[in-house]
């Protein structure tokens, strides 16, 4: 089976690599980004994704995976290109249209196209099918097979989850779904479930919406905790002892390219009915502003101007900064006249200069934990802070303050009532 993966991003590249480790024929990886293709071929592309670095150059060196800016004729095309959202919150499918058109121009009877990008319901059946039929003159479902199957993997564990997660595959007809299942069976060890395209598409955005709404609920509880006088972290821990309750974790906001994006597709399609989904998105997007208000309150009390930010990735232990809550917070702090020192143990490229741990501690008066990287949790903060000019610590993930044992610092934790006031009063 000759397979081409179109789009070598966060999902396309690991998918192509895993296919290449097991497929009998060469797998092709196609991307329009010439820098990426050159870096992959020169073996200079660096990834922090566990397990990917190991197999990536093995399959490229052995010729099992050929990456190119030229689209090669294949039996199967897997399309994994980005789908951001438009200003009106609808799903931007321009990359999909381009990719499907390019593939359609070389399609042969009997070929299979699988769309993997996250989309609003109906894109495979209505948009992709029409483009293919218009360009080729073939009939989809008869001459050409077409299926939809979204990835469901979590950045940081992509390789492991690509192999082990269950997979939902929707086909324009049963034959399309079954043929697509044969492709994924090359490397997927999880169960494969067949359905129609629209159900498979909607399942994907429902999963991410479920998580977004639950994080928003946790964030709302955190705000209530501060006003009503309880400790949200302890209350959630205990509430989750109930066999049917799974409250998520509060935090400084929701980042990434999935949970912060996909729920908008529902809102964009039906603003009137997607009331809860819209509210959840707004609650989570507001969290960096909420954290800023806490910083402003502390800064006023303690006469502070220099803020140190711990962590800029969108979540712990990865180098992905897309839509990161820290980026939003840094913009707000800067536009309000604060001087900001930024640190991250993993991220190397960021819009602003990153400080070393020493610079951060020498210059910051208030430290804000935004990302609970393992690095921060294993640092001897108490020792380091003693030698610094830090006066206060704000912990938005309830991970640091508990073990900074020193009365010299004012500490505050998101979701803990009157914590700051108590400490200031002491
Ligand atoms: N977050 C919280 N509280 C939580 C969990 C997460 O504030 O309890 C924050 C994180 O810090 C981060 C954001 O939410 O900023 C998103 O992180 P995440 O780990 O929840 O999810 P992603 O975006 O890395 O990956 C999600 C996953 N979806 C689900 O778990 C339903 C993944 O399985 C999907 O494949 C991925 O989106 C995707 O590609 O759609």
């Amino acid at each position: 089976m000759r397979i081409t993966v179109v789009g070598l991003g966060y999902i396309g590249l690991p998918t192509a690599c895993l296919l290449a480790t097991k497929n009998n024929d060469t797998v092709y990886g196609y991307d329009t980004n010439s820098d990426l293709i050159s870096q992959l071929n020169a073996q200079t592309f660096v990834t922090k994704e566990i397990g990917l670095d190991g197999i990536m150059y093995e399959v490229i060196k052995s010729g099992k995976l050929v990456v190119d800016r030229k689209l090669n004729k294949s039996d199967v095309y897997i399309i994994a290109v980005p789908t951001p959202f438009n200003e009106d919150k609808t799903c931007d499918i321009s990359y999909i249209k381009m990719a499907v058109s390019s593939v359609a121009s070389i399609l042969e009877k009997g070929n299979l196209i699988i769309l993997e990008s996250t989309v609003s319901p109906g894109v495979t059946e209505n948009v992709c099918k029409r483009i293919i039929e218009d360009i080729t003159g073939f009939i989809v479902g008869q001459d050409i097979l077409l299926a939809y199957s979204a990835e469901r993997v979590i950045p940081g564990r992509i390789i492991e989850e690509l192999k082990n997660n269950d997979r939902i595959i929707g086909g324009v007809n049963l034959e399309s779904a079954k043929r697509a299942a044969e492709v994924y069976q090359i490397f997927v060890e999880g169960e494969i479930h067949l359905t129609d395209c629209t159900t498979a598409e909607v399942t994907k955005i429902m999963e991410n919406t479920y998580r977004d709404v639950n994080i928003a609920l946790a964030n709302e509880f955190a705000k209530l905790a501060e006003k009503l006088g309880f400790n949200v972290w302890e209350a959630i821990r205990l509430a989750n002892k109930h066999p049917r309750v799974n409250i998520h974790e509060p935090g400084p906001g929701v980042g990434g390219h999935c949970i912060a994006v996909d729920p908008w597709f529902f809102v964009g399609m039906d603003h009137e009915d997607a009331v809860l989904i819209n509210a959840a998105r707004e609650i989570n997007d507001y969290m960096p502003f909420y954290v800023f208000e806490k910083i402003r309150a502390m800064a006023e009390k303690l006469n502070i101007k220099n803020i140190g930010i711990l962590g800029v990735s969108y979540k712990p232990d990865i180098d992905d900064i897309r839509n990161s809550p820290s980026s939003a917070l840094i913009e707000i702090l800067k536009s309000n006249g604060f001087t900001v020192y930024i640190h991250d143990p993993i991220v190397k490229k960021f819009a602003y200069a990153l400080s070393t741990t020493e610079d951060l501690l020498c210059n910051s008066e208030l430290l804000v934990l935004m990302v609970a990287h393992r690095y921060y949790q294993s640092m001897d903060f108490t020792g380091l802070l003693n030698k610094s000019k830090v006066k206060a610590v704000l912990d938005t993930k309830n991970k640091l303050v508990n073990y900074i044992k020193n009365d010299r610092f004012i500490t505050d934790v998101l979701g803990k009532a009157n914590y700051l006031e108590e400490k200031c009063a002491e």
Side-chain angles (χ1 to χ4, degrees):
M1 197 175 344
R2 293 170 307 163
I3 306 171
T4 291
V5 177
V6 178
L8 296 175
Y10 283 78
I11 300 303
L13 181 59
T15 303
C17 290
L18 280 179
L19 283 165
T21 56
K22 295 271 177 76
N23 196 36
N24 292 332
D25 282 311
T26 302
V27 172
Y28 293 99
Y30 166 77
D31 203 291
T32 51
N33 179 344
S34 48
D35 283 348
L36 173 67
I37 298 297
S38 310
Q39 283 176 26
L40 285 170
N41 282 325
Q43 296 173 32
T44 55
F45 177 81
V46 181
T47 174
K48 290 271 176 221
E49 198 51 60
I50 298 162
L52 178 58
D53 46 352
I55 55 171
M56 186 168 67
Y57 291 126
E58 202 179 292
V59 288
I60 291 178
K61 269 194 281 184
S62 65
K64 289 181 168 184
L65 174 65
V66 173
V67 294
D68 207 343
R69 282 195 61 208
K70 180 178 152 282
L71 199 49
N72 284 282
K73 279 195 181 236
S74 294
D75 304 302
V76 179
Y77 300 87
I78 298 178
I79 297 178
V81 294
T83 42
F85 60 88
N86 296 308
E87 242 172 59
D88 65 355
K89 313 296 189 201
T90 53
C91 175
D92 174 356
I93 55 169
S94 50
Y95 295 109
I96 294 183
K97 284 180 171 170
M98 279 189 274
V100 174
S101 303
S102 307
V103 169
S105 67
I106 58 166
L107 274 182
E108 287 173 0
K109 211 168 176 176
N111 287 170
L112 164 69
I113 299 188
I114 305 169
L115 180 63
E116 276 220 13
S117 314
T118 306
V119 290
S120 46
V123 168
T124 312
E125 294 259 11
N126 301 332
V127 182
C128 300
K129 181 169 179 264
R130 205 190 54 238
I131 295 175
I132 297 165
E133 290 184 341
D134 285 353
I135 293 180
T136 62
F138 289 139
I139 296 173
V140 169
Q142 193 179 301
D143 306 318
I144 297 290
L145 301 179
L146 177 62
Y148 178 84
S149 179
E151 53 73 27
R152 313 160 96 191
V153 295
I154 200 110
R157 286 209 309 266
I158 288 183
I159 292 290
E160 185 200 323
E161 291 207 355
L162 271 178
K163 279 196 221 159
N164 297 322
N165 288 2
D166 280 14
R167 193 108 203 172
I168 315 294
I169 299 178
V172 289
N173 55 3
L174 189 57
E175 200 195 339
S176 296
K178 279 186 172 164
R179 277 279 307 281
E182 284 167 18
V183 176
Y184 289 107
Q185 265 152 2
I186 294 174
F187 68 89
V188 171
E189 286 164 26
E191 217 177 301
I192 293 181
H193 309 265
L194 304 188
T195 182
D196 60 88
C197 292
T198 305
T199 306
E201 290 166 338
V202 91
T203 303
K204 167 72 188 182
I205 49 175
M206 274 170 67
E207 291 163 5
N208 282 350
T209 302
Y210 164 86
R211 198 152 165 87
D212 198 43
V213 169
N214 278 287
I215 298 168
L217 180 64
N219 284 332
E220 192 155 291
F221 284 147
K223 290 194 246 171
L224 287 171
E226 292 182 7
K227 290 258 169 62
L228 305 184
F230 62 94
N231 173 349
V232 80
W233 305 92
E234 181 66 352
I236 290 177
R237 188 181 74 77
L238 295 173
N240 284 348
K241 300 281 177 201
H242 186 291
R244 285 175 296 283
V245 173
N246 177 23
I247 303 170
H248 289 37
E249 254 191 30
V254 168
H257 43 102
C258 310
I259 297 192
V261 174
D262 304 351
W264 286 129
F265 299 167
F266 281 128
V267 179
M269 287 186 94
D270 184 357
H271 196 276
E272 214 172 290
D273 292 306
V275 180
L276 176 63
I277 300 170
N278 189 49
R281 274 287 63 245
E282 284 177 354
I283 289 171
N284 290 335
D285 274 356
Y286 183 72
M287 287 313 288
F289 293 87
Y290 188 79
V291 172
F292 169 71
E293 289 305 335
K294 291 178 76 70
I295 295 173
R296 178 148 63 187
M298 288 178 96
E300 269 170 21
K301 275 203 171 79
L302 304 167
N303 195 22
I304 279 173
K305 271 266 155 265
N306 299 302
I307 314 294
I309 300 292
L310 296 170
V312 291
S313 58
Y314 84 85
K315 65 178 190 177
D317 305 320
I318 60 168
D319 63 353
D320 192 332
I321 54 168
R322 286 177 291 174
N323 297 314
S324 92
S326 297
S327 301
L329 176 65
I330 291 163
E331 294 300 330
I332 306 166
L333 284 167
K334 282 182 178 283
S335 64
N336 279 275
F338 286 95
T339 305
V340 188
Y341 297 90
I342 307 162
H343 181 269
D344 195 291
I346 300 177
V347 172
K348 297 284 169 264
K349 272 194 219 149
F350 191 60
Y352 297 105
L354 295 168
S355 303
T356 60
T357 316
E358 291 69 31
D359 284 349
L360 180 92
L361 294 175
C362 281
N363 293 304
S364 311
E365 295 161 287
L366 166 60
L367 280 186
V368 185
L369 179 80
M370 289 293 283
V371 185
H373 287 301
R374 272 197 295 264
Y375 176 88
Y376 296 134
Q377 295 184 64
S378 60
M379 251 168 94
D380 169 21
F381 257 101
T382 311
L384 286 167
L385 288 175
N386 278 335
K387 292 180 227 144
S388 74
K389 70 174 192 184
V390 173
K391 294 182 194 163
V393 180
L394 169 61
D395 184 348
T396 68
K397 293 303 292 183
N398 193 34
K399 289 286 184 340
L400 270 195
V401 158
N402 295 336
Y403 80 89
I404 298 179
K405 302 275 178 264
N406 194 320
D407 288 341
R408 195 166 77 75
F409 309 111
I410 301 293
T411 51
D412 193 8
V413 179
L414 175 76
K416 279 194 184 172
N418 299 325
Y419 210 70
L420 175 61
E421 279 69 20
E422 273 170 29
K423 288 278 172 181
C424 286
E426 270 170 18

